[in-house]
Structure formats: C-alpha cells, structure tokens
Amino acid sequence: MDGTADPRRALTPHANRALMALCVVVYALGLPPDRLAFVPAYAFGGGGVAGPLPTPALWIGLVAHPFVHADALHLATNLLVLWPLGDAVERAVGHGRFLLLFALGALAAAGLEGLLATDRMAPLIGASGAICALMGAFLWQPPRNGLWARSGWRWLAVVGIGAFAMVNAVLVIHPPSAGSPLAEVGWGAHLGGLLVGLALPVLWRR
C-alpha cells in the first residue's frame, strides 16, 4: 500500500441521484405514461402496425420509458432498489460509465421485451430494465466502501441478484398466463438489462 487514496471512495453519486430525481419529477408532473412509453410494435411491427415505424413516438419511448412509472408503488419500489445499488455501481465505475450502463440497459430492455412480447402494442415503462443492468455490473465491480463492501452484505446481494436472474429466465422461457398479475411484468426487459450489465463491464475491463 502506498497510501494513495482511491478517488472513487470519495465520489458522490450525482448521476444516480439525478436519475432518481428525474423519475420523481416525471411522476409528480403527471405526464401521461402512454405518451412516453416504449411500444414494441413501433420498432418490430405487430398489433396492426406494419413493420418498423421510425416515428417520434418510437424515439421518445426509447429515451423516456425508464423515467415513467404507472403509480406511486411502481415508482417507490424501483427507487428503493436504484438508490443503494446505483450509488454503489457509480462509485465503482464512475459517472460516465454508470450513465452508459443505465442507458444501454434501458435500450436492451426495450429491445428484448419488444422481441419477446406476445402483445407488441403493450407499452413498456419503468426503470427496472436499466436497474437490472446495474445489477449485472454490481457482480463485476466490487464496491470499495460502504455497506456493500462488507463481505456478508455483498454475498447477500449477489445471492439475491442471482435468484432474481433465474426467476426472470424461467418466466421468459415459460411466460405466465395472460390473466396472471405476473404477465404485466416486463420479464424480457429485466433479462435484457441483466445481459448488458453482465457483458459491458467485462468489455471495458479488457
């Protein structure tokens, strides 16, 4: 040890806090979710839509859907995961890579959900796909300080993420019935985000 401080130990997760604030602002403004959602049919066709439609609605949905939530419970559950997880990942990888992870995770979530969706007119909203990318990155980027740096808490998080990933994989392979509440969850979106989070840190570490 040369006594040089790791600058990331003192890094304040401004990017994560800004994303959280944006989610809250969008919800507080009462912006209509259907106008900001990603609709798979606009990108992949289906649901009476003939082929890809590179319309403003498609681009708006790709960019805006992670910041839109259906209700207060949806928003609160996503933020409760994003807060500690996003802080830990941003401190480990820095602001720029954190934002890249979040953005690519959201895009991958939309893409895989769109490809797998049985109803391609069903809108996709919420930050969970991007959050899943952070989950994948968490496995590759050990937190250097704080609660998650303690081995016990870290292993608890790793086990939880692993179990969550397996449940997602099962429900993508064997989708729940249309009448089930589970059918309303974007399992493909979660899996798409997780794959990006697992792959991208490997690439930049090389």
Side-chain angles (χ1 to χ4, degrees):
M1 296 293 292
D2 60 3
T4 303
D6 185 339
R8 287 174 293 188
R9 291 181 181 273
L11 185 147
T12 301
H14 295 302
N16 189 43
R17 305 295 170 79
L19 292 175
M20 293 174 61
L22 183 56
C23 291
V24 172
V25 168
V26 169
Y27 183 77
L29 290 176
L31 300 179
D34 56 333
R35 295 186 182 179
L36 300 176
F38 171 73
V39 179
Y42 295 166
F44 302 102
V49 177
L53 293 177
T55 62
L58 170 61
W59 309 121
I60 291 171
L62 281 172
V63 173
H65 81 269
F67 308 110
V68 186
H69 293 83
D71 51 41
L73 180 61
H74 188 201
L75 174 66
T77 52
N78 272 346
L79 292 185
L80 283 174
V81 179
L82 179 58
W83 185 0
L85 182 68
D87 282 6
V89 173
E90 186 175 355
R91 287 191 172 107
V93 305
H95 306 304
R97 287 177 174 178
F98 171 81
L99 290 173
L100 180 64
L101 266 170
F102 189 94
L104 292 182
L107 292 176
L112 191 56
E113 179 67 18
L115 285 171
L116 298 176
T118 54
D119 179 7
R120 288 188 170 171
M121 289 302 295
L124 174 68
I125 57 173
S128 56
I131 293 171
C132 286
L134 303 180
M135 290 183 181
F138 182 91
L139 301 178
W140 287 108
Q141 301 289 152
R144 300 173 184 273
N145 65 332
L147 179 67
W148 300 118
R150 301 174 185 174
S151 59
W153 285 100
R154 174 168 173 76
W155 279 109
L156 181 63
V158 168
V159 170
I161 291 171
F164 180 74
M166 286 189 289
V167 169
N168 270 271
V170 169
L171 290 172
V172 166
I173 296 170
H174 301 287
S177 61
S180 169
L182 294 177
E184 299 179 4
V185 178
W187 302 108
H190 294 170
L191 189 59
L194 278 165
L195 292 174
V196 165
L198 289 170
L200 194 59
V202 175
L203 295 176
W204 71 43
R205 285 171 68 133
R206 291 181 179 177

